[in-house]
Amino acid sequence: MKQIQLIVCSLAIILFCSCNTKTKTDTEETVEKTPVKLLVLTERGGQHGGFTDAGIKWLGEQSQAMNFEFTEVNNTEKINDEFLSQFNAIIQLDYPPYTWTEDAERAFIKYIEDGLGGWIGFHHATLLGEFDGYPMWQWFSDFMGRIRFQNYIAPLANGTVLVEDKTHPVMQGVSESFIIPDDEWYTFDKNPRPNVHVLASVDESTYTPDSDIKMGDHPVVWVNPHKKAKNVYFLIGHSNKLYETEDFTKMFSNAIRWATE
């Protein structure tokens, strides 16, 4: 009789543990399936329209596999603290650092300084200076390494990018060097390197066609470790051909995962 009681007790314990384990697994699966939310700032049309259109298409294609949802806005009128609180990261998909409302500027600064989410910027995000009647946004300049836009290769050129920090999550699985097609290759009034952590630079001797517009040491992908928010800036971002470039899309995918962890 005692043996039967022991067997029954043992079975009950096993059943109880199994139920608890199943409940925990179901909960974990529910959490894992919750998509991260991205805010994508874009400017449609113009000379960067092709890159932006291809970027929105690419994000749509990747959203399910990478488990994210995104909201696109074409201006900063909606942006305030409450609006940004919805998002795990902000992507400036060739959106410039001017035309922002004062509320948007304040909310964005708080988002980055307090580490409320991640940030990924492309190309036009360093168009820093006085443009279209808007003043220089000094905080954003400091964020980008205390730089000011100076010049660019207007006819466009291919260039070979050299990875400098192979250990950074954004560079995982990326080739040590790769060609970026048809980009404008911005130059700045000073090198951001002393104020940021450089992940990759362009070898200006590889420009095809060659150009007299050069910086010498020319960082093109970097992070600012002095901010609480995970952040990464890509100087590249002009041509829709980038989305046919495996190393570019790998960096973009890596950046989204890293910025939203």
Side-chain angles (χ1 to χ4, degrees):
M1 188 66 173
K2 288 183 178 179
Q3 288 181 335
I4 293 173
Q5 288 175 336
L6 286 171
I7 291 170
V8 170
C9 288
S10 297
L11 290 173
I13 291 170
I14 291 169
L15 181 61
F16 176 78
C17 291
S18 297
C19 289
N20 280 356
T21 301
K22 186 176 186 303
T23 302
K24 183 178 180 181
T25 302
D26 287 346
T27 302
E28 289 174 347
E29 287 178 354
T30 301
V31 171
E32 289 173 358
K33 289 179 181 178
T34 302
V36 298
K37 295 187 178 182
L38 307 175
L39 175 63
V40 184
L41 276 165
T42 66
E43 48 178 8
R44 293 291 195 144
Q47 60 178 330
H48 297 126
F51 172 81
T52 302
D53 294 347
I56 292 297
K57 180 182 177 184
W58 182 83
L59 286 167
E61 292 168 349
Q62 298 299 313
S63 60
Q64 185 171 357
M66 293 183 63
N67 195 32
F68 65 76
E69 298 173 349
F70 68 93
T71 299
E72 180 188 3
V73 296
N74 308 124
N75 58 58
T76 64
E77 292 177 5
K78 293 181 179 179
I79 294 179
N80 54 34
D81 291 338
E82 183 179 0
F83 184 73
L84 290 186
S85 69
Q86 306 172 67
F87 302 103
N88 302 97
I90 299 169
I91 300 176
Q92 270 180 251
L93 200 63
D94 266 0
Y95 196 85
Y98 58 92
T99 75
W100 294 53
T101 68
E102 290 184 4
D103 284 345
E105 287 186 4
R106 282 193 294 268
F108 181 78
I109 291 171
K110 182 179 179 181
Y111 190 88
I112 299 299
E113 295 287 4
D114 293 351
L116 302 179
W119 178 86
I120 304 167
F122 289 95
H123 198 48
H124 217 177
T126 55
L127 197 61
L128 288 153
E130 290 77 27
F131 289 96
D132 301 328
Y134 291 89
M136 171 81 154
W137 186 357
Q138 190 58 52
W139 178 90
F140 208 109
S141 173
D142 293 343
F143 178 37
M144 289 292 95
R146 301 178 185 173
I147 57 175
R148 175 187 285 263
F149 174 86
Q150 187 173 65
N151 208 342
Y152 69 109
I153 300 177
L156 309 183
N158 293 356
T160 299
V161 170
L162 308 175
V163 175
E164 296 189 19
D165 185 352
K166 302 172 188 176
T167 66
H168 194 279
V170 171
M171 293 301 172
Q172 295 299 300
V174 177
S175 303
E176 292 185 8
S177 66
F178 52 91
I179 296 173
I180 289 297
D182 292 348
D183 227 295
E184 291 181 315
W185 306 104
Y186 289 174
T187 63
F188 307 105
D189 65 329
K190 63 174 66 71
N191 195 322
R193 188 181 291 275
N195 304 307
V196 297
H197 176 59
V198 177
L199 304 186
S201 55
V202 63
D203 179 351
E204 295 181 324
S205 71
T206 66
Y207 285 157
T208 307
D210 194 14
S211 173
D212 293 331
I213 300 171
K214 294 177 180 176
M215 279 182 62
D217 174 27
H218 195 164
V220 295
V221 185
W222 64 77
V223 298
N224 186 334
H226 307 295
K227 303 300 181 184
K228 287 185 179 179
K230 290 181 177 179
N231 62 86
V232 57
Y233 171 69
F234 297 93
L235 181 146
I236 51 186
H238 181 82
S239 172
N240 59 359
K241 293 180 183 177
L242 282 168
Y243 296 96
E244 301 169 10
T245 305
E246 184 176 350
D247 288 296
F248 173 77
T249 56
K250 184 65 175 176
M251 289 189 298
F252 199 171
S253 299
N254 287 346
I256 292 172
R257 291 190 183 95
W258 175 67
T260 58
E261 286 178 343

